[in-house]
Structure formats: structure tokens, C-alpha cells
Amino acid sequence: MNRLIKKTKNLATNVVGAMIVLMMVHVTTEVLLRLLFGMHIPGTMEVVAYYYMVAAVFIGIFICVVEDSHIRVDVLVQHFGKRLKSASDIFGLLVITLYFALFSYGLYLQAVKSWGRREGVDAVFFELSIWPSRWIAWAGVSLAALAAVYLLVRLLRGRSGREMPS
């Protein structure tokens, strides 16, 4: 299971990296065309907002959970004993798991609704379908929920979630 999560995380990291590079090239090209030739690429802002950013943020959430790199404030926990720290970690992972499960369910309902009506936005010269981006968001948060469950199970079995390979 560890290997599957590691491979999924590596794939997700590559996807997020590619989205950021594509966004950078797309926006830079848009700016250069506008400055040098007074032209622009129709739909740039919409593609950036509904595809590049959605993939980077929501798939990035999964990567943060797997790498245990989300923000953690341990002002009090650093003074706890080993058993109380472990209980605190278990409680935190339970909360994270529940949160991502509920978030994933809400995104699923939104994606189904968006897909059903073939949601799109006006991108000046064409209609840009945005319903696929709803599924990207759902996939990222669902993977984060599954990763949180996996880390919770590892922690309950006595292994630290922080020992997962990068």
C-alpha cells in the first residue's frame, strides 16, 4: 500500500508541476502577445482559474497530506508526553479524515450537478466547459481523504504517519 501511495503522490506531484509550468507559459505568452502585438489569447483567465489553479490547489492538498506538510501549530503539544502526543495525533487525523470526507462528498455533489448541466463559462469567443474541473477538485480531495485514512490506520497500528517514504 505504501508503494501505491508513493507512486500516486509522485504522479500527482508531476501533474501539479506540469500545471504550474503550463500556467506560467500560458500567462507569459498572453502578456508578451499583449505588450508586443496588442493581441491576446482568448480565455486565458478562465483556463487559469478553472483548470491550472484547480489542479494545483486540489491535487496539491493530497500531496500535503501524504507528505504530512500541512500547517501544524504545536504550542501545547510539544510539552505533552508520548502517549498524549499520540492521542493528539490520532485526534487530529480523525478530524482531518472527517473534514476531507465531508469536503469530498460536497465536491462530488457539485461535480455531478455541474456535469449534468454541462456547466461552462463564456471565454469571449467560445464557451469553456468547466464541469471537468469540478471532478479534478473532487479527485484531489478524495485522494487526500484516503491518504488521511491510511495515515490514521498506520498511526493506530503504532507506526508514525511521518515515516512514509517520499
Side-chain angles (χ1 to χ4, degrees):
M1 185 62 135
N2 227 359
R3 198 175 326 162
L4 176 63
I5 288 178
K6 181 181 177 183
K7 284 184 180 190
T8 306
K9 184 207 72 150
N10 289 341
L11 175 64
T13 301
N14 290 333
V15 167
V16 169
M19 289 297 109
I20 290 171
V21 168
L22 282 170
M23 179 172 53
M24 179 187 69
V25 169
H26 194 156
V27 171
T28 301
T29 304
E30 164 77 14
V31 169
L32 289 175
L33 282 174
R34 198 170 278 205
L35 289 174
L36 299 174
F37 305 107
M39 301 167 48
H40 73 94
I41 303 170
T44 295
M45 293 308 296
E46 291 81 5
V47 171
V48 167
Y50 289 103
Y51 284 95
Y52 301 142
M53 292 301 291
V54 168
V57 169
F58 288 96
I59 296 173
I61 290 172
F62 161 67
I63 296 167
C64 283
V65 171
V66 170
E67 291 182 347
D68 194 31
S69 60
H70 44 272
I71 296 172
R72 180 187 318 237
V73 180
D74 60 352
V75 174
L76 295 176
V77 176
Q78 67 184 342
H79 302 291
F80 290 174
K82 188 175 181 177
R83 289 182 65 190
L84 198 50
K85 274 185 186 178
S86 180
S88 174
D89 286 344
I90 289 169
F91 177 73
L93 275 172
L94 280 169
V95 170
I96 287 171
T97 301
L98 180 62
Y99 174 78
F100 284 136
L102 291 173
F103 193 11
S104 175
Y105 178 69
L107 286 171
Y108 172 78
L109 294 177
Q110 180 65 39
V112 168
K113 190 170 145 183
S114 179
W115 178 51
R117 62 177 190 236
R118 299 290 186 223
E119 186 179 17
V121 293
D122 183 25
V124 183
F125 296 115
F126 62 95
E127 180 82 8
L128 177 67
S129 292
I130 62 169
W131 62 266
S133 69
R134 308 295 187 200
W135 290 106
I136 294 168
W138 170 78
V141 173
S142 296
L143 285 170
L146 292 173
V149 167
Y150 178 71
L151 291 174
L152 182 61
V153 167
R154 283 180 57 91
L155 197 58
L156 290 172
R157 288 184 175 168
R159 298 185 199 118
S160 172
R162 297 179 186 146
E163 294 170 2
M164 281 186 44
S166 301

mmCIF file of all heavy atoms in Angstrom, residues 94-140:
data_model
loop_
_atom_site.group_PDB
_atom_site.id
_atom_site.type_symbol
_atom_site.label_atom_id
_atom_site.label_comp_id
_atom_site.label_asym_id
_atom_site.label_seq_id
_atom_site.Cartn_x
_atom_site.Cartn_y
_atom_site.Cartn_z
ATOM 1 N N LEU A 94 -8.184 12.065 12.801
ATOM 2 C CA LEU A 94 -9.628 11.805 12.733
ATOM 3 C C LEU A 94 -10.372 13.033 12.212
ATOM 4 O O LEU A 94 -11.253 12.921 11.350
ATOM 5 C CB LEU A 94 -10.179 11.412 14.110
ATOM 6 C CG LEU A 94 -9.979 9.978 14.545
ATOM 7 C CD1 LEU A 94 -10.334 9.809 16.027
ATOM 8 C CD2 LEU A 94 -10.831 9.043 13.695
ATOM 9 N N VAL A 95 -10.019 14.195 12.730
ATOM 10 C CA VAL A 95 -10.653 15.439 12.293
ATOM 11 C C VAL A 95 -10.360 15.700 10.820
ATOM 12 O O VAL A 95 -11.263 16.033 10.046
ATOM 13 C CB VAL A 95 -10.199 16.630 13.174
ATOM 14 C CG1 VAL A 95 -10.653 17.951 12.592
ATOM 15 C CG2 VAL A 95 -10.722 16.471 14.592
ATOM 16 N N ILE A 96 -9.095 15.533 10.417
ATOM 17 C CA ILE A 96 -8.712 15.747 9.016
ATOM 18 C C ILE A 96 -9.455 14.770 8.103
ATOM 19 O O ILE A 96 -9.967 15.153 7.048
ATOM 20 C CB ILE A 96 -7.180 15.598 8.846
ATOM 21 C CG1 ILE A 96 -6.470 16.800 9.453
ATOM 22 C CG2 ILE A 96 -6.790 15.434 7.384
ATOM 23 C CD1 ILE A 96 -4.960 16.644 9.535
ATOM 24 N N THR A 97 -9.522 13.513 8.519
ATOM 25 C CA THR A 97 -10.210 12.498 7.719
ATOM 26 C C THR A 97 -11.684 12.851 7.559
ATOM 27 O O THR A 97 -12.227 12.797 6.451
ATOM 28 C CB THR A 97 -10.053 11.106 8.362
ATOM 29 O OG1 THR A 97 -8.662 10.800 8.463
ATOM 30 C CG2 THR A 97 -10.751 10.039 7.551
ATOM 31 N N LEU A 98 -12.328 13.197 8.650
ATOM 32 C CA LEU A 98 -13.747 13.572 8.596
ATOM 33 C C LEU A 98 -13.948 14.805 7.725
ATOM 34 O O LEU A 98 -14.847 14.854 6.889
ATOM 35 C CB LEU A 98 -14.283 13.819 10.008
ATOM 36 C CG LEU A 98 -15.743 14.223 10.102
ATOM 37 C CD1 LEU A 98 -16.653 13.120 9.561
ATOM 38 C CD2 LEU A 98 -16.116 14.538 11.542
ATOM 39 N N TYR A 99 -13.099 15.806 7.902
ATOM 40 C CA TYR A 99 -13.205 17.031 7.115
ATOM 41 C C TYR A 99 -13.081 16.741 5.622
ATOM 42 O O TYR A 99 -13.911 17.180 4.815
ATOM 43 C CB TYR A 99 -12.134 18.038 7.553
ATOM 44 C CG TYR A 99 -12.102 19.258 6.666
ATOM 45 C CD1 TYR A 99 -13.058 20.260 6.804
ATOM 46 C CD2 TYR A 99 -11.143 19.389 5.671
ATOM 47 C CE1 TYR A 99 -13.050 21.367 5.971
ATOM 48 C CE2 TYR A 99 -11.127 20.494 4.845
ATOM 49 C CZ TYR A 99 -12.076 21.479 4.998
ATOM 50 O OH TYR A 99 -12.067 22.567 4.165
ATOM 51 N N PHE A 100 -12.030 15.996 5.230
ATOM 52 C CA PHE A 100 -11.836 15.712 3.814
ATOM 53 C C PHE A 100 -12.933 14.806 3.260
ATOM 54 O O PHE A 100 -13.303 14.932 2.088
ATOM 55 C CB PHE A 100 -10.455 15.125 3.544
ATOM 56 C CG PHE A 100 -9.350 16.141 3.593
ATOM 57 C CD1 PHE A 100 -8.171 15.870 4.251
ATOM 58 C CD2 PHE A 100 -9.490 17.377 2.990
ATOM 59 C CE1 PHE A 100 -7.149 16.808 4.292
ATOM 60 C CE2 PHE A 100 -8.483 18.325 3.024
ATOM 61 C CZ PHE A 100 -7.312 18.041 3.683
ATOM 62 N N ALA A 101 -13.453 13.896 4.071
ATOM 63 C CA ALA A 101 -14.555 13.045 3.608
ATOM 64 C C ALA A 101 -15.799 13.891 3.325
ATOM 65 O O ALA A 101 -16.446 13.724 2.285
ATOM 66 C CB ALA A 101 -14.861 11.966 4.646
ATOM 67 N N LEU A 102 -16.128 14.810 4.231
ATOM 68 C CA LEU A 102 -17.282 15.684 4.020
ATOM 69 C C LEU A 102 -17.049 16.639 2.855
ATOM 70 O O LEU A 102 -17.949 16.880 2.035
ATOM 71 C CB LEU A 102 -17.603 16.470 5.290
ATOM 72 C CG LEU A 102 -18.146 15.650 6.454
ATOM 73 C CD1 LEU A 102 -18.254 16.500 7.710
ATOM 74 C CD2 LEU A 102 -19.493 15.043 6.096
ATOM 75 N N PHE A 103 -15.852 17.185 2.763
ATOM 76 C CA PHE A 103 -15.484 18.081 1.673
ATOM 77 C C PHE A 103 -15.588 17.333 0.339
ATOM 78 O O PHE A 103 -16.129 17.853 -0.648
ATOM 79 C CB PHE A 103 -14.066 18.596 1.914
ATOM 80 C CG PHE A 103 -13.636 19.758 1.069
ATOM 81 C CD1 PHE A 103 -14.511 20.479 0.282
ATOM 82 C CD2 PHE A 103 -12.306 20.144 1.076
ATOM 83 C CE1 PHE A 103 -14.078 21.554 -0.490
ATOM 84 C CE2 PHE A 103 -11.864 21.214 0.316
ATOM 85 C CZ PHE A 103 -12.754 21.916 -0.474
ATOM 86 N N SER A 104 -15.093 16.114 0.311
ATOM 87 C CA SER A 104 -15.146 15.295 -0.895
ATOM 88 C C SER A 104 -16.586 15.017 -1.306
ATOM 89 O O SER A 104 -16.931 15.098 -2.495
ATOM 90 C CB SER A 104 -14.410 13.972 -0.653
ATOM 91 O OG SER A 104 -14.551 13.121 -1.756
ATOM 92 N N TYR A 105 -17.426 14.723 -0.345
ATOM 93 C CA TYR A 105 -18.844 14.463 -0.639
ATOM 94 C C TYR A 105 -19.501 15.708 -1.236
ATOM 95 O O TYR A 105 -20.227 15.626 -2.227
ATOM 96 C CB TYR A 105 -19.574 14.013 0.635
ATOM 97 C CG TYR A 105 -21.041 13.768 0.409
ATOM 98 C CD1 TYR A 105 -21.483 12.700 -0.365
ATOM 99 C CD2 TYR A 105 -21.992 14.613 0.970
ATOM 100 C CE1 TYR A 105 -22.829 12.484 -0.583
ATOM 101 C CE2 TYR A 105 -23.348 14.402 0.762
ATOM 102 C CZ TYR A 105 -23.762 13.341 -0.020
ATOM 103 O OH TYR A 105 -25.096 13.129 -0.242
ATOM 104 N N GLY A 106 -19.239 16.864 -0.651
ATOM 105 C CA GLY A 106 -19.783 18.111 -1.177
ATOM 106 C C GLY A 106 -19.284 18.402 -2.588
ATOM 107 O O GLY A 106 -20.058 18.824 -3.456
ATOM 108 N N LEU A 107 -18.003 18.157 -2.833
ATOM 109 C CA LEU A 107 -17.454 18.356 -4.172
ATOM 110 C C LEU A 107 -18.048 17.365 -5.164
ATOM 111 O O LEU A 107 -18.278 17.705 -6.332
ATOM 112 C CB LEU A 107 -15.929 18.231 -4.149
ATOM 113 C CG LEU A 107 -15.176 19.403 -3.526
ATOM 114 C CD1 LEU A 107 -13.697 19.059 -3.371
ATOM 115 C CD2 LEU A 107 -15.346 20.667 -4.345
ATOM 116 N N TYR A 108 -18.309 16.151 -4.707
ATOM 117 C CA TYR A 108 -18.942 15.155 -5.572
ATOM 118 C C TYR A 108 -20.335 15.619 -6.002
ATOM 119 O O TYR A 108 -20.679 15.552 -7.190
ATOM 120 C CB TYR A 108 -19.029 13.802 -4.849
ATOM 121 C CG TYR A 108 -19.834 12.785 -5.609
ATOM 122 C CD1 TYR A 108 -19.277 12.121 -6.698
ATOM 123 C CD2 TYR A 108 -21.151 12.508 -5.258
ATOM 124 C CE1 TYR A 108 -20.026 11.199 -7.417
ATOM 125 C CE2 TYR A 108 -21.901 11.587 -5.969
ATOM 126 C CZ TYR A 108 -21.335 10.935 -7.050
ATOM 127 O OH TYR A 108 -22.072 10.038 -7.762
ATOM 128 N N LEU A 109 -21.112 16.092 -5.045
ATOM 129 C CA LEU A 109 -22.449 16.584 -5.382
ATOM 130 C C LEU A 109 -22.373 17.744 -6.368
ATOM 131 O O LEU A 109 -23.154 17.820 -7.321
ATOM 132 C CB LEU A 109 -23.191 17.011 -4.116
ATOM 133 C CG LEU A 109 -23.530 15.901 -3.118
ATOM 134 C CD1 LEU A 109 -24.199 16.486 -1.881
ATOM 135 C CD2 LEU A 109 -24.409 14.848 -3.765
ATOM 136 N N GLN A 110 -21.419 18.640 -6.150
ATOM 137 C CA GLN A 110 -21.234 19.783 -7.056
ATOM 138 C C GLN A 110 -20.807 19.317 -8.444
ATOM 139 O O GLN A 110 -21.277 19.832 -9.453
ATOM 140 C CB GLN A 110 -20.202 20.747 -6.472
ATOM 141 C CG GLN A 110 -19.945 21.957 -7.336
ATOM 142 C CD GLN A 110 -21.155 22.857 -7.471
ATOM 143 O OE1 GLN A 110 -21.887 23.061 -6.524
ATOM 144 N NE2 GLN A 110 -21.369 23.390 -8.651
ATOM 145 N N ALA A 111 -19.905 18.340 -8.504
ATOM 146 C CA ALA A 111 -19.421 17.843 -9.794
ATOM 147 C C ALA A 111 -20.540 17.172 -10.581
ATOM 148 O O ALA A 111 -20.659 17.378 -11.798
ATOM 149 C CB ALA A 111 -18.261 16.864 -9.578
ATOM 150 N N VAL A 112 -21.362 16.386 -9.903
ATOM 151 C CA VAL A 112 -22.484 15.719 -10.579
ATOM 152 C C VAL A 112 -23.457 16.762 -11.131
ATOM 153 O O VAL A 112 -23.910 16.665 -12.275
ATOM 154 C CB VAL A 112 -23.204 14.737 -9.620
ATOM 155 C CG1 VAL A 112 -24.522 14.271 -10.196
ATOM 156 C CG2 VAL A 112 -22.300 13.553 -9.312
ATOM 157 N N LYS A 113 -23.761 17.757 -10.324
ATOM 158 C CA LYS A 113 -24.667 18.829 -10.738
ATOM 159 C C LYS A 113 -24.086 19.597 -11.932
ATOM 160 O O LYS A 113 -24.786 19.858 -12.914
ATOM 161 C CB LYS A 113 -24.897 19.764 -9.550
ATOM 162 C CG LYS A 113 -25.963 20.770 -9.717
ATOM 163 C CD LYS A 113 -26.198 21.427 -8.356
ATOM 164 C CE LYS A 113 -26.534 22.876 -8.495
ATOM 165 N NZ LYS A 113 -26.683 23.523 -7.196
ATOM 166 N N SER A 114 -22.809 19.930 -11.843
ATOM 167 C CA SER A 114 -22.132 20.673 -12.907
ATOM 168 C C SER A 114 -22.074 19.857 -14.191
ATOM 169 O O SER A 114 -22.277 20.384 -15.284
ATOM 170 C CB SER A 114 -20.730 21.044 -12.426
ATOM 171 O OG SER A 114 -20.028 21.743 -13.403
ATOM 172 N N TRP A 115 -21.782 18.578 -14.055
ATOM 173 C CA TRP A 115 -21.702 17.679 -15.205
ATOM 174 C C TRP A 115 -23.067 17.538 -15.868
ATOM 175 O O TRP A 115 -23.183 17.552 -17.091
ATOM 176 C CB TRP A 115 -21.164 16.335 -14.753
ATOM 177 C CG TRP A 115 -21.063 15.294 -15.820
ATOM 178 C CD1 TRP A 115 -20.475 15.422 -17.041
ATOM 179 C CD2 TRP A 115 -21.548 13.955 -15.745
ATOM 180 N NE1 TRP A 115 -20.555 14.239 -17.734
ATOM 181 C CE2 TRP A 115 -21.214 13.325 -16.961
ATOM 182 C CE3 TRP A 115 -22.224 13.226 -14.773
ATOM 183 C CZ2 TRP A 115 -21.541 11.991 -17.224
ATOM 184 C CZ3 TRP A 115 -22.535 11.910 -15.025
ATOM 185 C CH2 TRP A 115 -22.198 11.304 -16.242
ATOM 186 N N GLY A 116 -24.105 17.394 -15.049
ATOM 187 C CA GLY A 116 -25.460 17.220 -15.564
ATOM 188 C C GLY A 116 -25.927 18.387 -16.423
ATOM 189 O O GLY A 116 -26.639 18.205 -17.407
ATOM 190 N N ARG A 117 -25.531 19.557 -16.075
ATOM 191 C CA ARG A 117 -25.951 20.722 -16.872
ATOM 192 C C ARG A 117 -24.848 21.211 -17.803
ATOM 193 O O ARG A 117 -24.973 22.270 -18.409
ATOM 194 C CB ARG A 117 -26.451 21.835 -15.966
ATOM 195 C CG ARG A 117 -25.459 22.390 -15.019
ATOM 196 C CD ARG A 117 -26.063 23.547 -14.233
ATOM 197 N NE ARG A 117 -24.990 24.169 -13.518
ATOM 198 C CZ ARG A 117 -24.947 24.360 -12.224
ATOM 199 N NH1 ARG A 117 -25.978 24.025 -11.493
ATOM 200 N NH2 ARG A 117 -23.917 24.921 -11.652
ATOM 201 N N ARG A 118 -23.770 20.420 -17.904
ATOM 202 C CA ARG A 118 -22.649 20.746 -18.785
ATOM 203 C C ARG A 118 -22.197 22.192 -18.573
ATOM 204 O O ARG A 118 -22.090 22.979 -19.500
ATOM 205 C CB ARG A 118 -23.017 20.523 -20.248
ATOM 206 C CG ARG A 118 -23.381 19.113 -20.578
ATOM 207 C CD ARG A 118 -22.161 18.239 -20.502
ATOM 208 N NE ARG A 118 -22.481 16.892 -20.971
ATOM 209 C CZ ARG A 118 -22.074 15.793 -20.369
ATOM 210 N NH1 ARG A 118 -21.360 15.862 -19.291
ATOM 211 N NH2 ARG A 118 -22.379 14.625 -20.857
ATOM 212 N N GLU A 119 -21.884 22.483 -17.318
ATOM 213 C CA GLU A 119 -21.532 23.839 -16.916
ATOM 214 C C GLU A 119 -20.348 24.388 -17.708
ATOM 215 O O GLU A 119 -19.375 23.692 -17.964
ATOM 216 C CB GLU A 119 -21.200 23.857 -15.422
ATOM 217 C CG GLU A 119 -20.952 25.227 -14.867
ATOM 218 C CD GLU A 119 -20.646 25.218 -13.381
ATOM 219 O OE1 GLU A 119 -20.304 24.142 -12.833
ATOM 220 O OE2 GLU A 119 -20.744 26.289 -12.773
ATOM 221 N N GLY A 120 -20.458 25.639 -18.076
ATOM 222 C CA GLY A 120 -19.395 26.308 -18.805
ATOM 223 C C GLY A 120 -19.394 27.793 -18.491
ATOM 224 O O GLY A 120 -20.310 28.304 -17.850
ATOM 225 N N VAL A 121 -18.352 28.477 -18.939
ATOM 226 C CA VAL A 121 -18.265 29.927 -18.782
ATOM 227 C C VAL A 121 -17.957 30.542 -20.139
ATOM 228 O O VAL A 121 -17.329 29.917 -20.994
ATOM 229 C CB VAL A 121 -17.189 30.354 -17.754
ATOM 230 C CG1 VAL A 121 -17.566 29.917 -16.358
ATOM 231 C CG2 VAL A 121 -15.822 29.851 -18.121
ATOM 232 N N ASP A 122 -18.379 31.770 -20.297
ATOM 233 C CA ASP A 122 -18.112 32.491 -21.526
ATOM 234 C C ASP A 122 -16.654 32.941 -21.520
ATOM 235 O O ASP A 122 -16.223 33.676 -20.636
ATOM 236 C CB ASP A 122 -19.043 33.701 -21.628
ATOM 237 C CG ASP A 122 -18.870 34.463 -22.915
ATOM 238 O OD1 ASP A 122 -18.415 33.847 -23.903
ATOM 239 O OD2 ASP A 122 -19.178 35.665 -22.941
ATOM 240 N N ALA A 123 -15.895 32.485 -22.500
ATOM 241 C CA ALA A 123 -14.475 32.837 -22.604
ATOM 242 C C ALA A 123 -14.255 33.737 -23.823
ATOM 243 O O ALA A 123 -13.379 33.505 -24.643
ATOM 244 C CB ALA A 123 -13.626 31.583 -22.691
ATOM 245 N N VAL A 124 -15.085 34.737 -23.958
ATOM 246 C CA VAL A 124 -15.080 35.744 -25.015
ATOM 247 C C VAL A 124 -15.509 35.147 -26.355
ATOM 248 O O VAL A 124 -16.612 35.406 -26.808
ATOM 249 C CB VAL A 124 -13.727 36.484 -25.146
ATOM 250 C CG1 VAL A 124 -13.801 37.556 -26.214
ATOM 251 C CG2 VAL A 124 -13.305 37.091 -23.820
ATOM 252 N N PHE A 125 -14.671 34.355 -27.004
ATOM 253 C CA PHE A 125 -15.003 33.834 -28.331
ATOM 254 C C PHE A 125 -15.551 32.409 -28.312
ATOM 255 O O PHE A 125 -15.886 31.867 -29.357
ATOM 256 C CB PHE A 125 -13.775 33.891 -29.245
ATOM 257 C CG PHE A 125 -13.310 35.282 -29.520
ATOM 258 C CD1 PHE A 125 -12.079 35.721 -29.075
ATOM 259 C CD2 PHE A 125 -14.113 36.173 -30.222
ATOM 260 C CE1 PHE A 125 -11.642 37.005 -29.324
ATOM 261 C CE2 PHE A 125 -13.692 37.463 -30.479
ATOM 262 C CZ PHE A 125 -12.453 37.887 -30.025
ATOM 263 N N PHE A 126 -15.602 31.801 -27.157
ATOM 264 C CA PHE A 126 -16.091 30.427 -27.079
ATOM 265 C C PHE A 126 -16.591 30.139 -25.664
ATOM 266 O O PHE A 126 -16.312 30.882 -24.735
ATOM 267 C CB PHE A 126 -15.003 29.421 -27.482
ATOM 268 C CG PHE A 126 -13.789 29.448 -26.586
ATOM 269 C CD1 PHE A 126 -13.671 28.564 -25.527
ATOM 270 C CD2 PHE A 126 -12.754 30.354 -26.819
ATOM 271 C CE1 PHE A 126 -12.553 28.584 -24.708
ATOM 272 C CE2 PHE A 126 -11.630 30.382 -26.002
ATOM 273 C CZ PHE A 126 -11.536 29.497 -24.946
ATOM 274 N N GLU A 127 -17.319 29.067 -25.547
ATOM 275 C CA GLU A 127 -17.806 28.603 -24.255
ATOM 276 C C GLU A 127 -16.823 27.554 -23.738
ATOM 277 O O GLU A 127 -16.573 26.543 -24.395
ATOM 278 C CB GLU A 127 -19.200 27.985 -24.419
ATOM 279 C CG GLU A 127 -19.812 27.464 -23.164
ATOM 280 C CD GLU A 127 -20.479 28.544 -22.318
ATOM 281 O OE1 GLU A 127 -20.600 29.697 -22.760
ATOM 282 O OE2 GLU A 127 -20.872 28.209 -21.196
ATOM 283 N N LEU A 128 -16.237 27.816 -22.558
ATOM 284 C CA LEU A 128 -15.275 26.893 -21.962
ATOM 285 C C LEU A 128 -16.015 25.989 -20.972
ATOM 286 O O LEU A 128 -16.609 26.472 -20.007
ATOM 287 C CB LEU A 128 -14.165 27.656 -21.235
ATOM 288 C CG LEU A 128 -13.116 26.822 -20.507
ATOM 289 C CD1 LEU A 128 -12.267 26.033 -21.505
ATOM 290 C CD2 LEU A 128 -12.238 27.705 -19.638
ATOM 291 N N SER A 129 -15.988 24.693 -21.233
ATOM 292 C CA SER A 129 -16.606 23.742 -20.299
ATOM 293 C C SER A 129 -15.780 23.697 -19.023
ATOM 294 O O SER A 129 -14.577 23.458 -19.068
ATOM 295 C CB SER A 129 -16.656 22.339 -20.904
ATOM 296 O OG SER A 129 -17.550 22.306 -21.985
ATOM 297 N N ILE A 130 -16.448 23.914 -17.904
ATOM 298 C CA ILE A 130 -15.713 23.874 -16.635
ATOM 299 C C ILE A 130 -16.131 22.700 -15.762
ATOM 300 O O ILE A 130 -15.549 22.488 -14.703
ATOM 301 C CB ILE A 130 -15.839 25.199 -15.852
ATOM 302 C CG1 ILE A 130 -17.291 25.482 -15.489
ATOM 303 C CG2 ILE A 130 -15.209 26.334 -16.632
ATOM 304 C CD1 ILE A 130 -17.444 26.614 -14.500
ATOM 305 N N TRP A 131 -17.111 21.917 -16.203
ATOM 306 C CA TRP A 131 -17.524 20.785 -15.382
ATOM 307 C C TRP A 131 -16.392 19.786 -15.146
ATOM 308 O O TRP A 131 -16.325 19.195 -14.061
ATOM 309 C CB TRP A 131 -18.778 20.101 -15.952
ATOM 310 C CG TRP A 131 -18.631 19.511 -17.317
ATOM 311 C CD1 TRP A 131 -18.931 20.110 -18.512
ATOM 312 C CD2 TRP A 131 -18.130 18.215 -17.628
ATOM 313 N NE1 TRP A 131 -18.642 19.273 -19.549
ATOM 314 C CE2 TRP A 131 -18.152 18.090 -19.040
ATOM 315 C CE3 TRP A 131 -17.669 17.150 -16.868
ATOM 316 C CZ2 TRP A 131 -17.731 16.938 -19.687
ATOM 317 C CZ3 TRP A 131 -17.247 16.001 -17.522
ATOM 318 C CH2 TRP A 131 -17.293 15.904 -18.909
ATOM 319 N N PRO A 132 -15.446 19.575 -16.086
ATOM 320 C CA PRO A 132 -14.348 18.640 -15.771
ATOM 321 C C PRO A 132 -13.493 19.097 -14.587
ATOM 322 O O PRO A 132 -12.976 18.271 -13.830
ATOM 323 C CB PRO A 132 -13.528 18.597 -17.061
ATOM 324 C CG PRO A 132 -14.490 18.962 -18.141
ATOM 325 C CD PRO A 132 -15.381 19.994 -17.507
ATOM 326 N N SER A 133 -13.359 20.410 -14.416
ATOM 327 C CA SER A 133 -12.540 20.894 -13.298
ATOM 328 C C SER A 133 -13.175 20.559 -11.953
ATOM 329 O O SER A 133 -12.478 20.428 -10.948
ATOM 330 C CB SER A 133 -12.291 22.396 -13.421
ATOM 331 O OG SER A 133 -13.471 23.131 -13.201
ATOM 332 N N ARG A 134 -14.481 20.415 -11.932
ATOM 333 C CA ARG A 134 -15.159 20.013 -10.683
ATOM 334 C C ARG A 134 -14.744 18.596 -10.286
ATOM 335 O O ARG A 134 -14.593 18.295 -9.111
ATOM 336 C CB ARG A 134 -16.680 20.077 -10.834
ATOM 337 C CG ARG A 134 -17.236 21.375 -11.362
ATOM 338 C CD ARG A 134 -17.018 22.517 -10.448
ATOM 339 N NE ARG A 134 -17.737 23.681 -10.960
ATOM 340 C CZ ARG A 134 -17.462 24.910 -10.628
ATOM 341 N NH1 ARG A 134 -16.474 25.173 -9.806
ATOM 342 N NH2 ARG A 134 -18.160 25.902 -11.113
ATOM 343 N N TRP A 135 -14.539 17.742 -11.269
ATOM 344 C CA TRP A 135 -14.097 16.371 -10.995
ATOM 345 C C TRP A 135 -12.636 16.340 -10.564
ATOM 346 O O TRP A 135 -12.237 15.502 -9.759
ATOM 347 C CB TRP A 135 -14.335 15.471 -12.210
ATOM 348 C CG TRP A 135 -15.785 15.210 -12.436
ATOM 349 C CD1 TRP A 135 -16.571 15.742 -13.418
ATOM 350 C CD2 TRP A 135 -16.644 14.385 -11.652
ATOM 351 N NE1 TRP A 135 -17.862 15.292 -13.274
ATOM 352 C CE2 TRP A 135 -17.937 14.451 -12.208
ATOM 353 C CE3 TRP A 135 -16.442 13.588 -10.517
ATOM 354 C CZ2 TRP A 135 -19.019 13.755 -11.673
ATOM 355 C CZ3 TRP A 135 -17.531 12.888 -9.995
ATOM 356 C CH2 TRP A 135 -18.798 12.976 -10.565
ATOM 357 N N ILE A 136 -11.836 17.262 -11.091
ATOM 358 C CA ILE A 136 -10.431 17.354 -10.672
ATOM 359 C C ILE A 136 -10.365 17.710 -9.188
ATOM 360 O O ILE A 136 -9.601 17.100 -8.426
ATOM 361 C CB ILE A 136 -9.666 18.391 -11.529
ATOM 362 C CG1 ILE A 136 -9.577 17.926 -12.986
ATOM 363 C CG2 ILE A 136 -8.268 18.643 -10.959
ATOM 364 C CD1 ILE A 136 -9.098 18.999 -13.956
ATOM 365 N N ALA A 137 -11.179 18.686 -8.781
ATOM 366 C CA ALA A 137 -11.219 19.090 -7.368
ATOM 367 C C ALA A 137 -11.658 17.908 -6.498
ATOM 368 O O ALA A 137 -11.060 17.631 -5.457
ATOM 369 C CB ALA A 137 -12.150 20.280 -7.183
ATOM 370 N N TRP A 138 -12.699 17.218 -6.928
ATOM 371 C CA TRP A 138 -13.198 16.064 -6.170
ATOM 372 C C TRP A 138 -12.120 14.990 -6.040
ATOM 373 O O TRP A 138 -11.910 14.430 -4.958
ATOM 374 C CB TRP A 138 -14.443 15.482 -6.849
ATOM 375 C CG TRP A 138 -14.860 14.183 -6.260
ATOM 376 C CD1 TRP A 138 -15.539 13.986 -5.106
ATOM 377 C CD2 TRP A 138 -14.583 12.885 -6.792
ATOM 378 N NE1 TRP A 138 -15.713 12.637 -4.881
ATOM 379 C CE2 TRP A 138 -15.138 11.943 -5.900
ATOM 380 C CE3 TRP A 138 -13.925 12.436 -7.919
ATOM 381 C CZ2 TRP A 138 -15.044 10.579 -6.129
ATOM 382 C CZ3 TRP A 138 -13.835 11.070 -8.145
ATOM 383 C CH2 TRP A 138 -14.395 10.162 -7.248
ATOM 384 N N ALA A 139 -11.396 14.712 -7.144
ATOM 385 C CA ALA A 139 -10.353 13.682 -7.114
ATOM 386 C C ALA A 139 -9.252 14.045 -6.124
ATOM 387 O O ALA A 139 -8.807 13.196 -5.340
ATOM 388 C CB ALA A 139 -9.768 13.483 -8.510
ATOM 389 N N GLY A 140 -8.822 15.299 -6.135
ATOM 390 C CA GLY A 140 -7.757 15.716 -5.227
ATOM 391 C C GLY A 140 -8.149 15.579 -3.770
ATOM 392 O O GLY A 140 -7.385 15.042 -2.950
#
